[in-house]
């Protein structure tokens, strides 16, 4: 029970704060709970398909295959695959973290996972197409080129900045599912 409370302490703290706001400022509190409810419904509509796909990825793709294409010695293939996974993905950014966990569990290189997360957040194909039509092809190409370079540089700098212990801890948490 203590472990449960400790794990979800932020949730309980926010629940207490929202309840206090509801008591002190009823209109604002009611709006906060309605917003929380709509966000919860959105999450419940997005996460089940993601988890089904993750389950299939976990079962169908062998660890050796993932290591070959996205592991430490994957080279440019791993980088391109990470960019493709992130750019072709659907859903909000919070759906990317379970995907990242499975990639880590399967032996993907940490920088490739960082690249996938960066691509998921900034280079989605529908966003690129919208930018090209709304803001012009030149703007879209400049922003895309800067994003691609920026994501790769940040991913490699972040991986190099982490100690071996930090990297091992990240991989261990992915294996445990925390």
């Amino acid at each position: 029970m203590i472990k449960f409370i400790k794990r979800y302490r932020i949730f309980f703290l926010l629940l207490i704060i929202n309840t206090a706001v509801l008591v002190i400022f009823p209109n604002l509190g009611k709006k906060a709970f309605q917003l929380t409810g709509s966000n919860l419904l959105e999450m419940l509509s997005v996460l089940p398909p993601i988890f089904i796909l993750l389950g299939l990825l976990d079962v169908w793709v062998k660890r050796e295959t993932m290591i070959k294409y996205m592991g430490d010695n994957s080279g440019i293939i791993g980088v391109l695959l990470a960019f493709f996974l992130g750019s072709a993905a659907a859903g909000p950014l919070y759906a990317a973290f379970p995907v990242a966990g499975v990639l880590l569990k399967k032996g993907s290189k940490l920088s490739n996972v960082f690249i996938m997360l960066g691509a998921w957040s900034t280079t989605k194909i529908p966003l690129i197409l919208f930018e090209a039509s709304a803001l012009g092809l030149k703007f879209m190409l400049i922003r895309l080129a800067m994003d691609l370079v920026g994501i790769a540089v940040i991913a490699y700098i972040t991986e190099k900045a982490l100690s071996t212990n930090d990297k091992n801890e990240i991989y261990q948490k992915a294996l445990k599912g925390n």
Side-chain angles (χ1 to χ4, degrees), residues 18 27-43:
N18 267 355
N27 288 339
L28 184 61
K30 186 177 175 184
K31 197 175 223 176
F33 274 104
Q34 287 173 342
L35 188 60
T36 301
S38 70
N39 286 339
L40 182 63
L41 289 175
E42 179 190 337
M43 283 179 58

Side-chain angles (χ1 to χ4, degrees), residues 140-151:
M140 183 272 298
L141 290 172
I142 291 170
R143 189 194 70 83
L144 181 61
M146 291 176 65
D147 282 347
L148 295 177
V149 171
I151 289 167

